[in-house]
Amino acid sequence: MASKADLMGLLLTAIVRLITGAQGHWKGCPPKAEQRIYFANHQSHLDWMLIWAALPSDLRATTRPIAARDYWTSSKFKAWLTREVFHAVYVSRQRSEDQDPLEPLVEVLDAGDSLVIFPEGTRSNKGLPQPFKTGLYHLAEQFPNVQLIPAWIDNVQRVMPKGEVVPVPILCTVTFGAPIQLEPGEDKRAFLDRAREAVVALRPHLS
């Protein structure tokens, strides 16, 4: 018998797909059940939910999105939703100097699950992603056998703009690109710039 969390997951997936379409376009890789780090542009609180809903069910079961602890634990319902339904990994946006921000992500990857991360570190409404922070580089360095899959999320900022709480029905897409990897001896900034370019390259061209 399905649990309450399982049923809520199915319901929310249906709602997200109804509001946004949640269309996944696999242009550079197939939707395969193998350990991956999906990294994408970040424009809305719905971003990780959109990627999660665009994944096939067998991938959703082993793919864990990161979620800002202060926002997603601010109420009992949001905490239950992220913890029990999406199995999200909480990250703190305000940390003390002795905290390692990558520790919870490393634990997830060590356990064999996949991740959805946003290397910008914060949402942006400027169209193109901001420069990537160093977390993706360190994860790529520590887990060289985990596939790094770039993804472009399109239109989600119009569904729930920053500061809004009521979603607006608009067709959204998630385009998944070809995997990249950290090259031997590659400079940190060169890798992060290349990773960002891999995401931007998936942006739909206006005709």
Side-chain angles (χ1 to χ4, degrees):
M1 184 174 178
S3 67
K4 184 185 297 185
D6 291 334
L7 293 174
M8 178 62 78
L10 292 173
L11 175 62
L12 286 174
T13 300
I15 291 172
V16 171
R17 288 179 174 174
L18 178 65
I19 293 174
T20 69
Q23 297 183 15
H25 300 310
W26 299 85
K27 290 194 172 182
C29 63
K32 191 175 180 180
E34 55 191 10
Q35 193 178 24
R36 292 171 166 176
I37 298 174
Y38 299 95
F39 62 98
N41 56 315
H42 193 22
Q43 299 176 330
S44 165
H45 280 308
L46 286 180
D47 287 341
W48 58 263
M49 196 178 295
L50 187 65
I51 289 182
W52 193 83
L55 294 173
S57 59
D58 58 333
L59 270 66
R60 290 201 301 269
T62 58
T63 302
R64 301 181 62 183
I66 67 170
R69 183 185 299 275
D70 59 332
Y71 180 82
W72 289 105
T73 61
S74 60
S75 71
K76 288 184 178 180
F77 177 70
K78 285 197 291 187
W80 177 82
L81 194 67
T82 48
R83 184 182 63 251
E84 301 296 331
V85 178
F86 297 105
H87 306 292
V89 184
Y90 294 124
V91 293
S92 299
R93 292 191 282 192
Q94 295 181 342
R95 294 179 291 270
S96 61
E97 292 184 2
D98 60 345
Q99 284 181 306
D100 180 1
L102 295 182
E103 184 178 353
L105 309 186
V106 169
E107 290 176 356
V108 167
L109 294 172
D110 276 336
D113 285 342
S114 297
L115 278 173
V116 176
I117 70 172
F118 303 97
E120 295 172 78
T122 186
R123 290 172 292 152
S124 172
N125 58 4
K126 297 181 180 179
L128 294 177
Q130 300 178 67
F132 283 3
K133 297 185 181 300
T134 59
L136 180 63
Y137 170 83
H138 293 301
L139 292 176
E141 189 176 42
Q142 191 165 344
F143 296 92
N145 295 322
V146 176
Q147 284 200 338
L148 307 175
I149 307 295
W152 179 269
I153 304 171
D154 196 52
N155 258 354
V156 72
Q157 75 279 8
R158 295 171 59 195
V159 175
M160 184 175 277
K162 196 169 184 177
E164 297 296 327
V165 295
V166 179
V168 178
I170 292 175
L171 184 64
C172 299
T173 59
V174 182
T175 303
F176 299 93
I180 69 168
Q181 64 183 72
L182 178 64
E183 300 295 339
E186 186 172 17
D187 175 77
K188 181 192 301 182
R189 181 43 56 189
F191 167 77
L192 293 171
D193 288 344
R194 183 164 62 87
R196 179 180 178 276
E197 289 168 4
V199 170
V200 173
L202 300 171
R203 188 184 191 192
H205 296 288
L206 298 175
S207 57

